[in-house]
Amino acid sequence: MAALWWAVILSGLYHGLNPGMGWPLAVSAALMEQKRSALPRALGLLALGHFLAMLAILLPFSMMLFLVAWEVQIRVAAGVLVIAMGVYLLINRRHPKALARVHPARLAFWSFLAANAHGAGLMLVPLFLGICAADADTGHQAAEALMRGNILTAFTVALAHTAAMTLAGGLIAVIIYLWLGLKFLSKTWFNLDLVWAVTLILVGAFGIWAAVNGH
């Protein structure tokens, strides 16, 4: 259980470090407005969009989990879905054009779309399902009570993950905005697309292994 929760937090830190989740947009917003207050406001909007994207993925799975008899099959299917997303991102390395059409002022909406387009929410599904399975004493819980508990867990997982993401991305944004500047960023830009795709595949494989072995 502790390992699964740490994985939720560490994946949030990993998402936050990835420029594709939006921290460069927060730096850009602060520089364009020439106000320090624009930076935390932009980070808050990015966090809101990411949080909603996590819930959009996790909540349907939380509502399915009351079908306890199909728990293993659901977890395996989720793992296969995550692996498929990773393989797709390995094959298709281009960023979705739709993201470029979103107005910079709509950061929450952009963050929501970016998280879903990159499979950020899917990455959490195997971890979330493992937490629900480890946390539920299905022999003594009614289906309705189990589902309520899983929905609350979905909110907690999304919140913990988003907080870690915002902390990591916000720290980088503050350092670049206050000290290093965009010139440094342009010279040291890092691309995590390949690492991201491989990570999705690994997380999906771990989810399938854990489900099949009863973890």
Side-chain angles (χ1 to χ4, degrees):
M1 178 65 77
L4 289 169
W5 277 108
W6 273 113
V8 168
I9 294 171
L10 291 175
S11 66
L13 295 173
Y14 171 56
H15 288 181
L17 294 175
N18 189 348
M21 290 297 100
W23 60 258
L25 294 179
V27 177
S28 176
L31 290 173
M32 286 191 297
E33 294 187 30
Q34 296 184 342
K35 295 179 180 178
R36 290 190 177 185
S37 61
L39 186 62
R41 183 169 68 250
L43 289 172
L45 291 172
L46 290 170
L48 174 61
H50 198 85
F51 176 73
L52 293 176
M54 300 303 101
L55 285 183
I57 296 295
L58 297 182
L59 282 179
F61 282 95
S62 71
M63 295 174 187
M64 291 169 62
L65 278 176
F66 74 95
L67 299 172
V68 177
W70 296 93
E71 176 203 326
V72 173
Q73 289 85 344
I74 291 172
R75 293 176 66 186
V76 170
V80 171
L81 187 62
V82 175
I83 292 174
M85 185 66 181
V87 172
Y88 171 77
L89 291 177
L90 279 178
I91 297 172
N92 181 20
R93 304 289 292 277
R94 295 176 298 177
H95 287 273
K97 293 181 179 179
L99 294 178
R101 300 191 184 102
V102 179
H103 194 278
R106 300 173 181 172
L107 287 180
F109 183 52
W110 181 92
S111 180
F112 178 86
L113 294 178
N116 284 306
H118 288 86
L122 285 177
M123 187 183 291
L124 282 184
V125 170
L127 305 175
F128 166 70
L129 293 176
I131 289 172
C132 288
D135 197 37
D137 181 3
T138 55
H140 297 84
Q141 283 186 290
E144 183 180 354
L146 181 61
M147 188 167 64
R148 281 201 305 269
N150 290 337
I151 291 174
L152 178 61
T153 300
F155 274 88
T156 307
V157 166
L159 185 60
H161 173 86
T162 302
M165 184 213 72
T166 306
L167 176 64
L171 183 60
I172 294 179
V174 167
I175 291 174
I176 290 178
Y177 175 69
L178 293 180
W179 294 293
L180 300 180
L182 285 181
K183 187 176 182 180
F184 172 85
L185 182 61
S186 65
K187 291 182 178 180
T188 58
W189 180 261
F190 52 96
N191 192 325
L192 294 179
D193 287 351
L194 179 61
V195 177
W196 184 279
V198 173
T199 304
L200 280 170
I201 295 172
L202 292 176
V203 170
F206 169 75
I208 294 174
W209 174 85
V212 171
N213 289 277
H215 296 299

